[in-house]
Amino acid sequence: MATHVLTPAGARLALISCALRNTGSGWSLIADAAHAPSGVTAVVQHPDHLEIKHSVGALKVSSMQVTPDEHYAAHGLRCGASVGLTLSRIYLYSGPSTTPVDPATLVAASGNLWVTGFLELPPA
């Protein structure tokens, strides 16, 4: 379930957030005693990107960012998101290359990606 926020201007926003990890069995949402996704219901691994699903009833995209944690940052991983109303695609790059990295090749016992965004909802 997404957390909803009301801005001073009156816009309703849904928080889209999660931590993603691949420990060797493919990418998944981290949902445990210390992590809870908000609005994100699934992650799908493709050969050139990750896809997160977030069907919260959005009308517009406000913002989205994907950040590598300290493990992936130390290895030069860069991330970019193509954001939609019900799903977003996360592309991963290494070094100066403009060719996306196959997400299946990125495996770490504790390395993860942090996703945070806001989508505008219809008026209440």
Side-chain angles (χ1 to χ4, degrees):
M1 171 157 224
T3 300
H4 296 161
V5 177
L6 186 61
T7 68
R12 291 178 59 232
L13 301 175
L15 171 64
I16 304 299
S17 65
C18 64
L20 304 172
R21 182 175 292 158
N22 179 7
T23 59
S25 301
W27 286 86
S28 62
L29 298 169
I30 303 174
D32 58 22
H35 301 85
S38 178
V40 179
T41 57
V43 59
V44 179
Q45 182 176 295
H46 295 276
D48 66 340
H49 69 280
L50 297 171
E51 179 179 284
I52 57 171
K53 297 185 184 288
H54 46 74
S55 186
V56 295
L59 297 175
K60 294 181 183 177
V61 174
S62 177
S63 64
M64 181 79 70
Q65 63 184 357
V66 181
T67 307
D69 74 348
E70 72 283 2
H71 170 81
Y72 284 123
H75 289 87
L77 187 68
R78 297 177 291 123
C79 309
S82 177
V83 183
L85 299 178
T86 60
L87 64 88
S88 296
R89 292 176 180 90
I90 299 170
Y91 295 90
L92 308 167
Y93 302 91
S94 183
S97 175
T98 58
T99 302
V101 172
D102 179 352
T105 65
L106 300 171
V107 176
S110 63
N112 56 22
L113 302 176
W114 296 101
V115 178
T116 307
F118 288 99
L119 302 178
E120 188 173 327
L121 300 172

